[in-house]
Amino acid sequence: MRRTVLVAGASGFIGSHLCDALSEAGHEVRAMTRHPDDYDGSGTAVAGDVSDPDSLVEALRGADAAYYLVHSLDSADFEDKDAQAARNFARAAEQAGVEQVIYLGGLGSEDEELSPHLRSRREVEHLLAEGAVPVTTLRAAVVVGHGGISWEITRQLVDHLPLMITPKWVDTRTQPVALPDVIRYLVGVLGEPRAQGRTFEIGGPDVLRYVDMLRRAATLKNKRMPRVKVPLLTPRLSSYWLALVTDVDTATARNLVDSMTTEVVVKDRSILDVVPGEPIGYDEAVRLALAARAAEQDATVGDKRAERA
């Protein structure tokens, strides 16, 4: 069934790919952004800011469903900002008569001490669900795809370092998921009665330590990276180190590193009952991410040549 769908965070990593997929599936896509004049992706750009409740009411008006893909990870006070934004969005969705909100959150067991980043994702999940609109939540760990922050950290470490300087947290287990699978799940739960009001864990078939992810990515790039353990490299020092050797800003690096000390592994595979299909393995996900980056670079070179011609 064709639906009118709002995507909050349409210009972001996940949102841009989701808008493409929803449009290809025949839905009417409203791409919500603070700068609609600059938006050049799929769907119709609409002005909206999660910190401005009045703008959300207008953006959501007439929408059947809404995706919430917004976070403030690069802000020092991101927990407070994200909590208030979630409250604003839940109220506006209820006021607009939206039938379903779909949220992409983070993996992590409720009985563990979560990092501020994962704790904030969980709080947003609960705040969205406090409204009258049924919320479908997908919880994911590292999303492997070109342009994703967590994947970019992995790729840039492999590209820039002659050896792996590894703090203790790289031995934490995680369950990466390929970008195409994340998009497939997000589209698959739209309008699905079995997904209403439910939370699903999503991940690929491989449970890996972060160091394994680095090694396997290096192998696929025909690189060898000897490992040097630095067990006293704290999360704070690790974030400075990541900001130095990658283009991720210090605040974002710190929040992500804090989360890397928490094991995030799928324990419930019920998403496969609702959106069936074999998920993509880590190595293939890396190949797809590298191919997408190469294609983008080729397109950029082509554009520059055309400008000079």
Side-chain angles (χ1 to χ4, degrees), residues 82-97:
D82 283 349
Q84 187 57 54
R87 294 187 186 97
N88 293 342
F89 199 82
R91 284 195 293 267
E94 180 176 345
Q95 183 176 342

Side-chain angles (χ1 to χ4, degrees), residues 183-197:
I183 301 304
R184 184 167 60 86
Y185 293 136
L186 285 169
V187 175
V189 297
L190 175 63
E192 170 56 64
R194 293 173 295 172
Q196 292 278 15

Side-chain angles (χ1 to χ4, degrees), residues 17-256:
H17 292 278
L18 177 61
C19 287
D20 289 343
L22 290 169
S23 295
E24 290 173 5
H27 299 294
E28 180 183 335
V29 177
R30 293 182 185 174
M32 194 183 89
T33 170
R34 288 175 296 175
H35 308 289
D37 291 340
D38 298 331
Y39 182 77
D40 61 357
S42 298
T44 301
V46 296
D49 185 338
V50 292
S51 65
D52 179 0
D54 291 338
S55 73
L56 295 177
V57 171
E58 185 58 35
L60 285 162
R61 195 182 309 278
D64 300 308
Y67 287 88
Y68 192 80
L69 308 172
V70 181
H71 66 76
S72 307
L73 199 58
D74 57 351
S75 300
D77 58 344
F78 72 92
E79 289 185 84
D80 292 336
K81 284 186 175 180
D82 283 349
Q84 187 57 54
R87 294 187 186 97
N88 293 342
F89 199 82
R91 284 195 293 267
E94 180 176 345
Q95 183 176 342
V98 172
E99 298 171 3
Q100 181 186 25
V101 169
I102 301 170
Y103 171 61
L104 180 62
L107 273 175
S109 176
E110 295 279 6
D111 56 7
E112 291 186 38
E113 184 176 347
L114 299 177
S115 69
H117 170 218
L118 293 176
R119 186 173 65 232
S120 175
R121 291 294 179 98
R122 197 59 46 83
E123 182 183 22
V124 167
E125 177 183 320
H126 294 321
L127 289 171
L128 289 173
E130 286 180 357
V133 182
V135 177
T136 300
T137 297
L138 302 182
R139 295 177 181 171
V142 175
V143 178
V144 181
H146 174 54
I149 295 175
S150 296
W151 162 247
E152 278 301 301
I153 288 176
T154 301
R155 183 191 65 76
Q156 291 181 38
L157 288 177
V158 169
D159 283 349
H160 298 166
L161 297 180
L163 51 80
M164 285 191 289
I165 303 171
T166 58
K168 185 177 180 180
W169 52 259
V170 300
D171 288 317
T172 304
R173 296 197 312 159
T174 187
Q175 194 159 349
V177 58
L179 173 62
D181 282 329
V182 175
I183 301 304
R184 184 167 60 86
Y185 293 136
L186 285 169
V187 175
V189 297
L190 175 63
E192 170 56 64
R194 293 173 295 172
Q196 292 278 15
R198 293 182 62 185
T199 296
F200 300 96
E201 298 179 342
I202 61 174
D206 303 297
V207 177
L208 303 168
R209 298 174 302 166
Y210 287 104
V211 68
D212 298 325
M213 293 171 59
L214 286 164
R215 281 175 172 157
R216 287 169 67 164
T219 298
L220 291 167
K221 291 176 69 67
N222 297 313
K223 294 188 66 173
R224 181 177 177 272
M225 296 182 66
R227 180 183 181 187
V228 176
K229 288 188 177 182
V230 187
L232 298 180
L233 195 60
T234 65
R236 181 178 293 275
L237 290 176
S238 293
S239 66
Y240 294 140
W241 172 64
L242 285 178
L244 179 66
V245 298
T246 72
D247 60 13
V248 177
D249 66 88
T250 303
T252 300
R254 174 62 193 275
N255 292 326
L256 288 174

